[in-house]
Amino acid sequence: NAGVTQTPKFRILKIGQSMTLQCTQDMNHNYMYWYRQDPGMGLKLIYYSVGAGITDKGEVPNGYNVSRSTTEDFPLRLELAAPSQTSVYFCASRQGARYNEQFFGPGTRLTVL
Amino acid sequence: DQQVKQNSPSLSVQEGRISILNCDYTNSMFDYFLWYKKYPAEGPTFLISISSIKDKNEDGRFTVFLNKSAKHLSLHIVPSQPGDSAVYFCAATPYNNNDMRFGAGTRLTVKP
């Protein structure tokens, strides 16, 4: 049982490039989340999903897109990378219903130059 | 707007003593509060939580206190151990809601 896995661990992008951050969970959780954490700040919610085929915006969705075709996977897409998207990205999942605790992946450190 | 605030960026305590980490919130709709612990290069891990119907929740060395009238919660670690050295995030959410808000974190250092 690996929990929540994220790839890649690190990535450097040039301005205007695109990439997809991968997230997979093997706990059969319905709810999945993407956060970003900037230095000295708390985590901010980018997008979330309550089940396959259902996604919704969080606090800071601009510049990102998501999809959820399976319960296990929740990729985050950056279409036109900008320096403001330099951050550490965390994916999380939770069981749902009465369980509010989220389980986090190890993070992807992204630098846009 | 920062709805969850941790005003102490860092805290240093001696091994065996009590660590008290504080958190304030502004949104009255928050119904459920959580503490997460984060080591470098890892994702946050859930530590302890409390719902708004309680004012205290204990789990081993960790106790969370909630003061709804003051919109304040605190995490007590007794006794503190060097392995507790990490960044601690306070988080809050309306119950069963997906919009969880996090504080900026407090870096706890426990000295042997």
Side-chain angles (χ1 to χ4, degrees), chain B residues 20-69:
Chain B
I20 300 176
L21 293 87
N22 294 303
C23 177
D24 297 296
Y25 62 95
T26 58
N27 190 338
S28 301
M29 298 301 292
F30 288 147
D31 206 3
Y32 197 78
F33 305 87
L34 307 92
W35 285 93
Y36 284 85
K37 177 179 177 179
K38 185 181 181 304
Y39 292 116
E42 295 183 9
T45 55
F46 170 71
L47 191 58
I48 192 169
S49 62
I50 187 168
S51 76
S52 61
I53 63 173
K54 296 185 176 182
D55 54 19
K56 178 182 173 181
N57 188 26
E58 275 183 273
D59 185 0
R61 296 185 297 112
F62 303 92
T63 303
V64 56
F65 295 92
L66 175 63
N67 182 334
K68 289 191 293 288
S69 60

Side-chain angles (χ1 to χ4, degrees), chain A residues 52-94:
Chain A
I54 307 170
T55 62
D56 207 346
K57 295 177 181 178
E59 188 183 357
V60 290
N62 291 344
Y64 307 95
N65 279 301
V66 293
S67 59
R68 183 97 181 270
S69 56
T70 66
T71 299
E72 295 78 20
D73 300 306
F74 189 39
L76 177 72
R77 178 85 178 159
L78 283 71
E79 290 294 350
L80 289 170
S84 61
Q85 293 178 305
T86 294
S87 191
V88 181
Y89 292 83
F90 291 102
C91 178
S93 71
R94 76 175 171 102

Side-chain angles (χ1 to χ4, degrees), chain A residues 12-44:
Chain A
I12 298 175
L13 281 182
K14 293 183 179 177
I15 295 172
Q17 286 185 321
S18 62
M19 77 164 293
T20 300
L21 283 68
Q22 301 291 345
C23 175
T24 300
Q25 53 93 8
D26 62 0
M27 297 174 283
N28 203 33
H29 286 173
N30 283 324
Y31 295 74
M32 294 188 75
Y33 306 84
W34 274 106
Y35 293 90
R36 60 178 286 174
Q37 185 192 11
D38 298 328
M41 305 288 286
L43 283 72
K44 293 192 174 182

